[in-house]
Amino acid sequence: MAKGYWIARVDVRDAERYKDYVAAAKPAFEKYGANFLARGGAFEKLEGQVRARNVVIEFPSLQAAIDCYNSPEYQIAAAIRQEVADAEMVVVEGV
């Protein structure tokens, strides 16, 4: 079974409140087997628009990645994130 990946590009507007998002998201990530491959850190722009924070999260399957995002646990966290950050997020299937 192919793994699933969240790819998120984020600009945080309120770093202190973003910590609340991280704490609120933790139960969903644990429940759905999330493994962080990239979480912020240095990056180099190659093409197009960039955001300050880039995140790649691996899940056991595409369905687990989708279910995590749609879970009640994560939706609580997402509401916080949407108040304090701008983001683009996609879920992709691995090879």
Side-chain angles (χ1 to χ4, degrees), residues 67-83:
D67 290 347
C68 181
Y69 182 84
N70 290 322
S71 71
E73 298 91 344
Y74 185 75
Q75 287 304 302
I76 291 168
I80 297 168
R81 179 183 43 76
Q82 291 162 357
E83 289 179 11

Side-chain angles (χ1 to χ4, degrees), residues 44-48 50:
E44 181 74 24
K45 175 185 174 179
L46 300 176
E47 293 184 28
V50 297

